[in-house]
Amino acid sequence: MVCKGLYNAEYERDSCGVGFVASIKGNKSHQIVSDALTILENMEHRGACGCESNTGDGAGIMIQVPHEFFFTECVKLGVHLPAFGRYGVGVIFFPREIRLREECREIFARAAERLGLEILTYRKVPVNTANIGKTALSVEPVIEQVFIACPDHIQDPEEFERKLYVLRNYATHTIENTVKKDSIGFYMPSLSYKTVTYKGQLTSMQVRTYFTDLSNKRVVSAFGLVHSRFATNTFPSWKLAQPFRFIAHNGEINTLQGNLNWLKTSENGFSSPLFTKEEMEMLLPIVSSGMSDSAYLDNMVELLTLSGRSLPHVMMMLIPEAWDGNDKMDPVKKAFYEYHAAVMEPWDGPASISFTDGKIIGATLDRNGLRPSRFCVTHDDRVIMASETGALPIDPQLVKRYGRLQPGKMFVVDMEQGRIISDEELKQDICSRKPYSDWLNQYKIRLEELDAPRVTFTHLSEESVFKYQKAFGYSTEDVEYLIRPMAIDGKEPVGSMGSDVPLAVLSDQPQHLSSYFKQLFAQVTNPPIDPIRERLVMSLASYVGNNGNLLLEDAKHCHAVALKQPILTSTELEKLRSIDTGIFQAKTLQSYFRADGKPGSLKAGIDRLCRYAVDAVEDGFEVIILSDRAIDSDHAAIPSLLAVSAVHHHLIRKGMRGQVGIVVEAGDVWEVHHFACLIGFGATAINPYLALATIRTMKSNNMWETEQAWEQLRKNYVKAVCDGLLKVFSKMGISTLQSYQGAQIFEILGLNHDVVNKYFAGTVSRIEGMGLDEIAKEALAKHELAFNRKKIPVDRLSVGGIYQWKRKGEFHLFNPQTIHLLQYSTRMNDYSIFKKYSKAVNDQGEKACTLRSLFRFKRTRPSIPIEEVEPAENIYKRFATGAMSFGSISWEAHTTLAIAMNRIGGKSNTGEGGEDERRYELMPNGDSMRSAIKQVASARFGVTSRYLTEADELQIKMAQGAKPGEGGQLPGHKVDDWIGRVRHSTPGVGLISPPPHHDIYSIEDLAQLIYDLKNANRAARINVKLVSKAGVGTIAAGVAKAKADVILIAGFDGGTGASPVSSIKHAGLPWELGLAESHQTLVKNKLRSRVVLQADGQMKTARDIAIATLLGAEEWGIATAALIVEGCIMMRKCHLNTCPVGVATQDPELRKRFTGNADHVVNFFKFITQDLREIMAELGFRTINEMVGQADCLERRDDITHWKYRKLDVSPILYKEPADESVGLYHQEDQDHGLSGVLDWKFLEIAKPALEKRERVYSEFRIKNTDRAAGTILSNEISKRYKAAGLPDDTIHFKLTGTAGQSFGAFNTNGVTLELEGDANDYFGKGLSGARIVVYPSKEAGFVPEENIIIGNVAFYGATSGEAFIRGKAGERFCVRNSGANTVVEGVGDHGCEYMTGGRVVILGDTGRNFAAGMSGGIAYVYDVKGQFAENCNMEMIDLDPVINGESEELYDMISRHYAYTGSTVAKFIMDDFEAQLRNFVKVYPKDYKKAVQKAKIKVEGQ
Amino acid sequence: MGKPTGFIEFTRKLPHKKPVADRLKNYDEFVDRFPEEELTKQAARCMNCGTPFCHSNMGCPLGNVIPEFNDAIYRKSWREAYDILTSTNNFPEFTGRICPAPCETACVLGINQPPVTIEEIEKHIIEIAFEKGFVQPRIPNVRTGKKIAVIGSGPAGLAAAVQLNYAGHNVTVFERDDAAGGLLRYGIPDFKLEKWVINRRVELMEKEGVEFRYNANVGVNVSINDLLREFHAIVLSGGSTQPRDLPVPGRELKGVYFAMQFLKQQNKRNAKKNPLANATIESNILHEDILAKGKNVVVIGGGDTGSDCVGTSNRQGAKSVIQFELMPKPPEERTPYMPWPTYPMILKTSSSHEEGCDRRWAIATKEFVSDGNGTLKALKLVDLEWKLADDLRPSRFEEVPGSEREIPCDLVLLAMGFIHPQHNGLLDELGVEYDERGNVKATEKAYQTNIPKIFTAGDMRRGQSLVVWAISEGRECARKVDEFLMGTSLLETKDASLLSFFV
């Protein structure tokens, strides 16, 4: 597809519901098929539909081949099918145009013939198109089944299966390459003798009716595997529906680009005894373009399975458990994983995968367990596995066991053996089939075991260090701001206040090449990971060497150097350089080019380097070291990133990449981003020799105040880099270095397509830019300065000026002049000075700083008098101030903004820190300090029913411009009594904001949270905040389908919050790109009119606002400029609590220095609106609505002559998506949130006396998994009337029976008691704010409750108060970020009590791993009879104390109440023997919390 | 940043000054040095701002990288501090003593607290550097063979000369006085800048290869044509030397002098030189001694030069010292119209004022009254009524009816500023163009006059200004001359990194 705009189909991602029903004994029945379809139907809320409610994103089912049915059907066609197993069935999507269809058929026939296969017949699959959406029907294929006979000479059915595989791949490629493409194309959902797939672009409700076959009683199967898709787009695509041929995938492959590259480069070397050479050639390429990440994964699974490995084995290879660093793992299993790590990298990302080869069916979960997978085993030998429990109603008496898939685990139903094989047995069997451990011992090379290097290494002299620093572009900032803290503290430095320097491609200063690369990050469709608190899933291990032939298992595949982490010291590098095991050697290639400044010199250098690399591979070297040490006055270094990526891609193209490891020895590598780029583009290991030499010199010259020895500083630095790398991976949701390597998770901003296609192939780059000669020019500038013959009078490194404004340094939009003018104009209420300010910001003249500075307005209609422009009052309400928490900024600064915004009718934002209730009352002068927008961020500080009820808008912060994909931390010293109270936490105890929302791991989860919040406050708009990046448009489309009312696109550059400096600068993209892409994509999808589009990020003037409007935003946020009006002077020390003007500090003395005034802020918004109206008059727009998305009123400035940015092409940003009159370009219609069927309406009816007269009520209801967020609307009504206090305890008592849907009891408040008999799904008790929830299994059920899963994952996330009693086990992340609820449960999964800050948790059973990670408050009592609990704890922040007699009342009380509410036998047992059982309890006591509690106790006693 | 909370813990302190009575006994400098501990505390007050206004164009004209050297001082990394400071400022020993420190009025801490003592820290850095022997001649490694004449050895000329020498050119400085320094030498009293400070610097420059020719008045005893023939480029840095006069009746009386005539004499005396010699070559040489001893002195003009006249008069033993200013008394604090970080026009009390002076504002001199023998005996004055504009700035005045009066006066020193460089002689003969204010015309970007090889810097180009501006002009001009001669330059400029010139 030729794209003029920014939309690109490759950005599409999907997530979904997945499930299966299987007969353990392999009994085929039609009931199984029907039940599977029921599961699909009951997970409809996990799928999505587009702009039409009857066009789905795709759904389908895979079953075993129903031989009896097909036999009959074929008889009707006059064909007598052979026996089962002797023929294959293919499902084909044909183009509708008959000519094309017949062309396909002919090619298919010839392909079959070539393989010696006989086509028996085609059968048209009958379909019923009633109620199928227009959009889906517009590209509905002709669906046929093809029957192919197994040739007589083939006896083994699996051999026949492989032939079918070759046929399908070959025919598909050939048709792809020869037949004219229409919008439907040719596609084969399945071709197998065992399985057959029915799927299409349908909603989950439509599958049963559309395929009439599925209702035929003769369609029988022992299993039905179903999938319902929620895609981020709505472009019709039948083929992307799942299941595929082997798997159904709920998840996302974050590392796709890298996985595909590695696959591509290894394809050349594929050989397998199971395929002839000719067949192998016919198979390739393994993946066909234009499919989804899940489809590619399916292709990979298929290849590896059909080339001889078992399906579970393949799943273990592709989605390994977290083995690295897990000392408790069985060595045999660990050896398996370690061996396979040398062979291939994980396909990394959140994943719940159901898989089948037609004989076994199973499921596996990724190492993080980021997708729910619940299963149920019945007494009649069925297994039901699904994303939700209750999707298939089961008679409680039939339930044998309720379980869930745990992170990294797998289970398989072997229908031939007629039993379930457990994870343990399965893996033990697979891992012991080959002597992996012996192979490793024999061939794995450990760096630390290598001999000392042949050549002793000499350090660079001080003089050369300085010269090299200059040559590679070090600034004093790089040394002092970046390298120093890394070396001394072992941490990446933190900065504040965003980035207002030019994009690399707009800067006058010669840039580091990696500055043109922006890190991408996870948002919405997949979650980022917390690399600190969930370190156990992360790995930096990798192998340098030859990967070998993927299709075979060979001992020598692991003959490679194993690295624990990718940073090599100079000595380690020398070891590697001189390695010689007899069959393993390294080759050093010099990475330089002629420094003659002539065009083509750099290219010649790269060509030579690539040539030599090929030679080295052909000469049999296993490692290539790319070194730039050998530079001199005539030869400059090739930027290491370019050198690595060029060699990497050259070798991929030659099919040689898998045969060598690439190691970099480079001077231009010092900050985390540099390392991330190198690894992301193919490097395996890096020796940052100059950064290390810099540390050494600084230490030996005593330039840094530190007692640490230089070796220690070096270790600290390496640690800081490693931690930084983990953070970079994890913000994309990637766990392992191996998967990140070559994954190219960047967007390029400012390199032209020649450079990108040749050297960075496959990376997104949308606005063109520099070519090789320009890159050379920047490299040479540094080189020339370093190697100049003349002495410089006072020779110092350049000043940088990126993290701090410096006169000689980088340009900043907020500089002394603009800050002064802005403050002066608003304080003096002087519009003429404001105009000067605007001019100083807007007129970047010869310089450009932002993408928008390259635009100018173009008049497409006559100007109008300003009086005709809509009044300022209409426009004020479109402004919001940024999300800054009370905690990050002072009370004074926070309320001043709120008062000002309330005066003009705009909106201020609470930020993520909760809100003091006194702000809900009007002030004596009529002002209001209430923030109209309440933010709901990952830590859920103070998110109570009342808080949500008090909002005009609820903003879900998916990401933050300053540090997308990262969490935050408020240090304990900033948490004073006041902030502690507002955030529902303990004063003095630090607070952690997790990187992900633990209730949003996917788009369907986001839809669920939106639904929850809408229940919590129906009057509030739900706003989803996203950060600009490639693909944000398709995410926005998904978010619009998830029913958000407002979508905010934030630029990377904004952000007032503290953040690692490399994230501020290198993560995310400018809003111009994200906003334009979002608007274009939403218009293309006809979704634009359903949402309000908002933009923010360093907006400073009316011109910025006007441009944002023309690019598609009808509302705008301004944060930094508003803070400056309040007195901020861009000190950029917000994180130190030392703000000298009282804005970003909690220090009472410094707060007194605050001089901000709401009048000034009002003046600012008045001025900016006035200025905006002047622009509107000039451009001829009467209203903002008219103006939204009129991108044709912008054009590129034609006076740009700068050598660097005149080559930029901004036309994709200025592209106006064509839309007919029926397509709305701005917000015109409200979302249908689907609240009409909510169970709460019934609740409200019954609760009327309670609500109106506080009378007690009791009632009973049935509940099923589609009843979600029970009690939330009810609580909203209580909060409206009775504020935070709610109703007296137990005023409303409802008893529910059945399976509760997600978010049961979410944000339920005081006075509500929900009693559930049955079981429940994820997010049970989310945000609980005072209510009581009780759950116990059906009284008819026969299983032992404490051994079964009764509630899902992420229960009580962000609960602030209330209590709950759970008779049975909970899933992963129980009580995550609980800050005040008291709960009792009988066992939990991994990551229990994560980030908890308050409340009490009693666990009367086992816990999973990583318990109490990041737990800073509250107490957990764990009943640890087996004495294994300590091993499962993350001990970083907690103590494990015994429960002493005197302190046990609280515990006893909770257990006895648990017994009273649930009748728990476990509780009864403990109560009866309490004294003795007490010693089986462990008290999990966070250290800081303990200190704070003791301090408070002393204080009380002192009084 | 050395200490994140330094600005909260410590307050501003200045070094101790000797008592007034002691000061008046001689012409020595009277400001002490900080003890080391106090120096580092004062440096610790620097907040290392994300946006350091001190080194913006609203602060230091040289672009001194103030937070960096403050940090180095806090860490007692003296050599580093010296390197940082001298990367932007050739003569910190001058600016550290006599700069009005616009950096301090732009200091962010100054928004609500006393600002960082930047100027004192600067002075300490350079004096410590001299003591520790860091200051060594920097002799260029490559000589270009190009010859450059610098005319005028004030701060602009010296800065241009030292920079051009670093660039490898052969520089000759022509000075019509008998020693280098311009106003530093013969305008600023010793008690503010002792002259060994200049000598120390000039000696260093000589070692570095700069040639100085004294009593060399180009156009008088040095041939302009020779110069044009011999040198590849010429830098005009003769200063703004034409004083503003007060043409009222009695101006010709004995006892009415320009401030510079008075001040130069005293500096010469301090240097044990004959103040009356060399009248045809040097500037501001009179045929008579001007002494304030026992006289009623009136200084007309309320600026820094006026202040210097006050201090010198008191040291000479004046009977009384009165200082007049035409303008009304400025406010004592910033008004909303002169907000931070702009340089505020507020009341400044100099050390000379502390030593005894009657200061009066809004007064105009109507006449110098003769004693009948051609000698001044009194001044006829009138009070002024000023009208303020919207921004509170004085806009126009009227004389207050009936306020006219006489006061006795024996010596009047006119310190009302300078109007432009001297035109006759060198400038007119070279034929350089003037701007509308009478200064040599050249832009602040190019420093080049209408004659391509002739450049100009300092007060001669921008009109009367600060020493720090003169140094800045000299440096920037030097870079332009270097570019003119060589095509490229490795000399620093204040608003761009060297790197940016290579792309």
Side-chain angles (χ1 to χ4, degrees), chain B residues 21-35:
Chain B
D22 291 358
R23 289 187 216 167
L24 289 178
K25 287 177 192 155
N26 56 44
Y27 290 87
D28 298 347
E29 287 181 20
F30 49 81
V31 182
D32 292 343
R33 289 263 292 269
F34 279 130

Side-chain angles (χ1 to χ4, degrees), chain A residues 508-509 703 781 784 789-791 794 796 804-808 816 820 824 828 1130-1131 1133 1138 1140 1153, chain B residues 1 7 48-52 55-56 58 60 68 75 112-113 141 167 336 341 492 494-495 497 502:
Chain A
D508 273 348
Q509 315 281 322
M703 295 294 280
E784 278 174 33
R789 274 176 53 248
K790 256 195 206 178
K791 262 203 258 180
V794 184
R796 290 177 53 74
Q804 182 184 32
W805 181 87
K806 292 258 176 69
R807 188 136 170 197
K808 280 190 220 180
H820 167 60
Y824 192 39
M828 302 307 285
M1130 296 296 277
M1131 173 58 60
K1133 301 276 185 297
T1138 56
R1153 299 183 186 178
Chain B
M1 176 175 40
F7 74 100
N48 194 15
C49 302
T51 310
H55 97 136
S56 75
M58 285 182 272
C60 180
E68 286 190 20
R75 289 183 282 116
N112 47 34
Q113 304 292 315
N141 63 332
E492 297 272 2
K494 62 186 175 184
D495 282 316
S497 77
F502 282 83

Side-chain angles (χ1 to χ4, degrees), chain A residues 319 321 326 329 333 337 353 355 363-367 404-411 423-424 427 1390 1409:
Chain A
I319 306 178
E321 282 182 76
N326 184 350
M329 184 178 278
K333 185 155 85 171
Y337 284 126
I353 298 177
F355 53 83
T364 187
L365 201 55
D366 66 279
R367 57 174 65 198
R404 73 180 201 289
L405 216 48
Q406 287 163 272
K409 304 293 181 200
M410 190 185 296
F411 87 91
D423 179 76
E424 212 166 314
K427 287 182 178 167
D1390 290 354
R1409 292 204 295 163

